[in-house]
Amino acid sequence: MEIKKISSSATYPVRHEVLRKGKPIETCQFKGDDDENTVHFGLYQKEQLIGIISIFKEPSILFSEKNQLQIRGMAVLEEFQGKGFGAELVKAAENYCINLNVDLIWFNAREKAVPFYKKLGYTSIGDSFLIPDVGIHFAMYKKIHKNIIQ
Ligand SMILES: CC(C)(COP(=O)(O)OP(=O)(O)OC[C@H]1O[C@@H](n2cnc3c(N)ncnc32)[C@H](O)[C@@H]1OP(=O)(O)O)[C@@H](O)C(=O)NCCC(=O)NCCS
C-alpha cells in the first residue's frame, strides 16, 4: 500500500464511482480543486488507485481556530472498504495538517460515515443538514495538537 499526492483529475474516477455514481462526471470536479493550497492524496495497492482524500484550505464559520483545513472527497472503492484503507487516508491527511501547524480539521460527513469518523476521534457538531443530491450530513471536526496525533 502506498499513499501519495495526486492531481485533482486523478481523483475523478474514484469520486465518480463512490461519491457521484450515475451522475455526470463534471459533478466530480469540486470548487477549489486546483487552488495552490489544495492537496489530493491517493492510496494505491498494486498500482491501482483504490482510495482518495482531498484537503482544502477552507475555514468554517462554526469554529474560531485560526488555521483550519477542510477534508472533502473521502472515498474508498466499495470492494476495498472495511479493510482499514480509509483510516490510513485520514491519518495521512492528519499528518499533512500537523506539518502545516493546522489547529483544526473539519468536514461535512455523510450520515453513514459518521461512525467511521467517530472511531478516528472526530466529533460532530450541530444538527444534521441536507446537501441536495447527496444526502444528510453532519459537520465534524478534530482539534490538532502538534505531535499528539500519530
Ligand atoms: C467511509 C469510508 C471512507 C471508510 O473507509 P473504509 O476503508 O471503509 O474504512 P476503514 O476500513 O478504514 O474503517 C476504519 C474503522 O471504521 C469502521 N467503519 C468504517 N465504516 C463504518 C461505518 N459506516 N459504520 C461503522 N463503522 C465503520 C471500521 O469498522 C473500522 O473499525 P475498526 O478500526 O474497529 O476495525 C468508505 O467506507 C467509503 O468510501 N464509503 C462511501 C463514501 C463515503 O461515505 N465517504 C465519506 C464521505 S463524508
Side-chain angles (χ1 to χ4, degrees):
M1 184 208 74
E2 184 192 11
I3 295 178
K4 61 184 179 189
K5 279 189 190 174
I6 59 175
S7 66
S8 59
S9 56
T11 67
Y12 296 170
V14 178
R15 281 184 183 172
H16 200 214
E17 177 66 29
V18 183
L19 300 171
R20 298 287 186 270
K21 208 175 175 88
K23 299 197 171 126
I25 191 76
E26 297 78 49
T27 62
C28 298
Q29 193 172 2
F30 297 169
K31 186 171 164 279
D33 256 350
D34 294 316
D35 286 0
E36 61 171 335
N37 291 315
T38 302
V39 289
H40 310 275
F41 288 104
L43 188 153
Y44 288 80
Q45 200 186 40
K46 295 180 187 154
E47 294 180 22
Q48 183 190 0
L49 180 64
I50 63 167
I52 51 169
I53 191 167
S54 300
I55 307 162
F56 292 70
K57 190 163 174 54
E58 183 72 37
S60 163
I61 50 162
L62 292 173
F63 310 105
S64 58
E65 276 76 4
K66 196 168 151 244
N67 201 358
Q68 304 177 26
L69 290 187
Q70 179 187 14
I71 287 176
R72 293 193 68 192
M74 165 82 216
V76 173
L77 290 178
E78 199 174 340
E79 61 267 42
F80 296 98
Q81 290 174 7
K83 300 181 192 316
F85 294 125
E88 291 296 334
L89 278 162
V90 173
K91 278 181 209 153
E94 289 177 349
N95 284 328
Y96 171 82
C97 291
I98 288 168
N99 290 331
L100 287 180
N101 284 318
V102 167
D103 304 310
L104 181 136
I105 298 173
W106 73 278
F107 46 83
N108 295 322
R110 291 176 181 212
E111 190 177 27
K112 241 183 110 177
V114 168
F116 163 73
Y117 292 117
K118 283 198 168 158
K119 278 206 158 166
L120 295 172
Y122 288 83
T123 306
S124 62
I125 179 170
D127 296 331
S128 67
F129 56 94
L130 186 68
I131 297 185
D133 292 334
V134 186
I136 292 172
H137 283 70
F138 286 85
M140 297 189 82
Y141 70 96
K142 187 194 265 188
K143 292 184 185 182
I144 303 294
H145 304 288
K146 201 165 163 50
N147 299 330
I148 289 183
I149 292 169
Q150 301 294 321

